[in-house]
Amino acid sequence: MKVVILAGGFGTRISEESHLKPKPMIEIGERPILWHIMKEYSYYGFNEFVICLGYKQYIIKEFFADYFLHTSDITFDLAKNEMKVHNNYSEPWKVTLVDTGLNTMTGGRIKRIKEYVKNDTFMMTYGDGVSDINVRDLLEYHKKNGKIATLTAVNVGQRFGVLDISGKDNSIRAFREKAESDGSRINAGYMVLEPAIFDYIDGDNTVFEQEPLRALANMGELCAYKHNGFWQCMDTQREKEKLEKMWATGQAPWKVW
């Protein structure tokens, strides 16, 4: 099963570093947060990735093209024009990098990778958040409920818009903006999607979190997987520093590998 990762946005809220590189390439412990997300999925046996690129896409392409340069010890023999890679552990990954446009919205980026996932169920998440979610359990939950889409719902305070979730079967009934008194869960990504999702995305200007998900919610085809463990996005420099501290002190909950 393929894992689609949205990695094409501008990352304007963490502009201290995103003016130099795409946000998914901002490093936690000297590895891009994109790498951390891929390691999470790989731990559970998901090793085929489709990465949706946009802003400064060449940086992500160069990272994978020169993967050993970034992750291994290397000896350069300049006289012989030779390079020897040491401790060259290779990840079992197959990575497809797709230019989904500079200004394309999230829904449009997903629409553009249709040919790479074809008619198969696929996973999808954002390239700026890490979690200790068991994605195997998430997949089983999705299969059991039989909805077009399942998203991971977490409760992390009230910075984002919130979800109204039915108490009976965890169906998501509506999206709405947050209120001061809310204690509702938010969309954390880590989704499982059926290929029927493409029918709900018009084109490049479609924001996935708006029309498509609202339509599915109204139809009862959107389900919430409630995750009570760790999840953290990296929207700001402060959040980046928080994740960096967790990694440096050996207390990174998302490091399941």
Side-chain angles (χ1 to χ4, degrees), residues 40-41 124-125 129-131 133 135 138 151-152 188-191 231:
E40 294 172 34
Y41 278 99
M124 192 281 288
T125 195
V130 288
S131 175
I133 181 175
V135 292
L138 167 64
L151 60 76
T152 297
Y190 289 89
M191 301 183 189
W231 173 83

Side-chain angles (χ1 to χ4, degrees), residues 22-244:
K23 185 161 65 165
M25 293 303 292
I26 294 175
E27 295 179 349
I28 304 297
E30 299 186 337
R31 294 285 190 275
I33 191 171
L34 175 63
W35 177 88
H36 290 261
I37 296 167
M38 295 170 72
K39 290 286 284 187
E40 294 172 34
Y41 278 99
S42 186
Y43 174 78
Y44 291 103
F46 301 97
N47 293 305
E48 286 195 59
F49 298 93
V50 179
I51 303 179
C52 302
L53 307 180
Y55 175 66
K56 295 187 182 294
Q57 59 166 311
Y58 65 91
I59 294 178
I60 298 179
K61 289 179 177 177
E62 289 175 353
F63 174 78
F64 286 104
D66 295 328
Y67 189 77
F68 289 133
L69 288 175
H70 296 284
T71 58
S72 304
D73 296 333
I74 299 173
T75 297
F76 292 98
D77 188 328
L78 301 184
K80 296 181 180 180
N81 193 26
E82 293 178 352
M83 180 181 78
K84 181 178 180 180
V85 178
H86 308 279
N87 59 291
N88 58 335
Y89 172 75
S90 180
E91 303 288 354
W93 298 344
K94 180 179 179 180
V95 185
T96 302
L97 304 170
V98 184
D99 178 8
T100 56
L102 183 61
N103 297 300
T104 308
M105 298 291 103
T106 49
R109 295 191 191 282
I110 296 170
K111 185 87 168 184
R112 287 200 186 197
I113 55 86
K114 180 179 179 180
E115 65 179 287
Y116 297 101
V117 299
K118 300 185 176 8
N119 293 316
D120 297 328
T121 304
F122 64 99
M123 294 188 171
M124 192 281 288
T125 195
Y126 304 105
D128 61 355
V130 288
S131 175
D132 62 356
I133 181 175
N134 184 320
V135 292
R136 278 285 174 194
D137 289 347
L138 167 64
L139 178 59
E140 290 304 312
Y141 182 84
H142 172 80
K143 290 178 178 178
K144 181 180 70 174
N145 283 279
K147 307 287 187 182
I148 292 176
T150 299
L151 60 76
T152 297
V154 298
N155 195 335
V156 290
Q158 298 312 313
R159 204 178 128 206
F160 301 90
V162 299
L163 312 170
D164 284 334
I165 302 175
S166 168
K168 294 181 179 180
D169 61 358
N170 284 340
S171 293
I172 297 173
R173 296 305 181 185
F175 279 79
R176 59 188 172 82
E177 291 303 308
K178 66 181 184 291
E180 291 299 324
S181 59
D182 272 326
S184 299
R185 293 175 181 262
I186 62 102
N187 170 19
Y190 289 89
M191 301 183 189
V192 185
L193 304 172
E194 296 298 323
I197 193 67
F198 296 114
D199 296 336
Y200 297 87
I201 304 173
D202 290 333
D204 284 358
N205 294 323
T206 302
V207 178
F208 185 64
E209 299 76 13
Q210 295 180 7
E211 295 90 346
L213 292 190
R214 287 171 181 167
L216 292 177
N218 290 335
M219 295 167 55
E221 286 291 338
L222 180 59
C223 196
Y225 178 82
K226 293 181 178 180
H227 178 58
N228 296 316
F230 176 82
W231 173 83
Q232 179 64 59
C233 66
M234 189 184 64
D235 264 347
T236 66
Q237 188 67 21
R238 181 179 179 181
E239 290 169 342
K240 190 262 188 190
E241 292 168 358
K242 177 181 178 180
L243 292 172
E244 187 75 54

